[in-house]
Amino acid sequence: MTHRCIDRRTLLRLGAGAALAPLVLSAPSLAQSPAGVMKIGVVGSGKLGGTVGGLWAKAGHQVLFSSRHPDELKGLVEGLGANARAGSVAEAAAFGEAILIAVPYAALPQVGRDNAAALKGKVVLDACNPIPGRDGDIVQEALANGVGETSVKYLPGTRLVRAFNSFGARSFASESHRAGEPIGVPIASDDSEALKVAIKLVHDAGFEPVAVPLARAREFAPPEALFRQALPVSELKARLGIKG
């Protein structure tokens, strides 16, 4: 199998003064249609998952929304048209080339255990946040070890990117494809091809991605100051210490 280096623009985004292991993009890439349409599974189709998945459906991607009660998603998928449908969590995990997980952080271990085979090797966009008072002991683990590293532990075998967790559904709905300077969405991973997929999906949702190494994921998760901040991309880069 051949490899090529990650493109210079992405390396510059990843740099931010942090030490990085060498990153490569492997060929072949994830299976997509020539037009770039992807199959995306959404695990947890509440406010955030429903909103972000809806933006992808409107952009032309095929999205399977899931929850423990898929019948409750009927209104969501009917409003989005032919690119959206509902199913079980297992169906979404199997369906997606990429998976968005947007569940309470305490549910992440079970999602990983129950769907390990279906998720293995796939790009997983982890939008789950450890919230004190809701998520129990795993909050302290994430604070101590890093939220990115903790998510990798509970979603082993996936190509994990922390993404779409830094602000809420209302801002994703109102700021998508806005006029003027776009809102920046921070994403974090050490997997260069997973970042490539995440960058595309952030753009398709109507935002500008700002990529950093996985260890920096804690900087835009609770309780840090960048959490719940929907910032113009130039301001986000400045707050993260990224030039250019």
Side-chain angles (χ1 to χ4, degrees):
M1 180 172 65
T2 60
H3 295 80
R4 63 186 179 87
C5 294
I6 191 170
D7 64 273
R8 183 173 180 271
R9 183 179 179 185
T10 303
L11 276 175
L12 289 172
R13 284 174 171 164
L14 282 168
L20 291 176
L23 297 174
V24 294
L25 292 179
S26 59
S29 183
L30 293 175
Q32 297 181 33
S33 75
V37 172
M38 292 189 67
K39 294 180 178 179
I40 304 169
V42 177
V43 176
S45 301
K47 292 180 180 179
L48 182 66
T51 298
V52 175
L55 294 173
W56 289 329
K58 292 173 184 177
H61 297 293
Q62 298 176 32
V63 184
L64 198 163
F65 296 89
S66 72
S67 76
R68 290 176 296 176
H69 306 287
D71 288 346
E72 296 177 359
L73 302 176
K74 182 178 179 180
L76 172 65
V77 299
E78 286 182 349
L80 292 169
N83 288 334
R85 61 189 180 95
S88 68
V89 171
E91 287 172 326
F95 172 82
E97 299 169 280
I99 311 294
L100 173 69
I101 302 181
V103 299
Y105 203 83
L108 205 59
Q110 184 173 354
V111 170
R113 286 193 302 269
D114 292 350
N115 302 281
L119 294 176
K120 185 177 181 181
K122 291 185 177 180
V123 174
V124 170
L125 308 178
D126 169 28
C128 311
N129 286 311
I131 304 296
R134 183 193 69 183
D135 291 315
D137 293 341
I138 200 171
V139 174
Q140 294 306 314
E141 182 180 0
L143 289 174
N145 299 330
V147 66
E149 293 83 351
T150 303
S151 293
V152 167
K153 173 183 173 181
Y154 291 112
L155 298 170
T158 67
R159 310 182 73 169
L160 188 126
V161 185
R162 287 284 296 170
F164 295 101
N165 71 290
S166 59
F167 50 86
R170 184 176 298 178
S171 293
F172 278 112
S174 65
E175 301 297 339
S176 174
H177 297 289
R178 76 171 193 166
E181 185 178 7
I183 294 296
V185 170
I187 60 178
S189 181
D190 294 331
D191 184 314
S192 58
E193 187 162 334
L195 276 174
K196 187 177 179 181
V197 173
I199 286 167
K200 171 180 170 50
L201 291 178
V202 171
H203 277 138
D204 290 351
F207 298 87
E208 183 67 24
V210 179
V212 297
L214 188 65
R216 299 192 67 187
R218 66 174 70 224
E219 296 178 37
F220 51 93
E224 301 302 324
L226 282 178
F227 181 56
R228 299 191 190 280
Q229 299 294 308
L231 302 173
V233 64
S234 61
E235 184 175 349
L236 176 61
K237 287 182 176 180
R239 295 276 292 272
L240 288 168
I242 297 174
K243 297 180 180 180

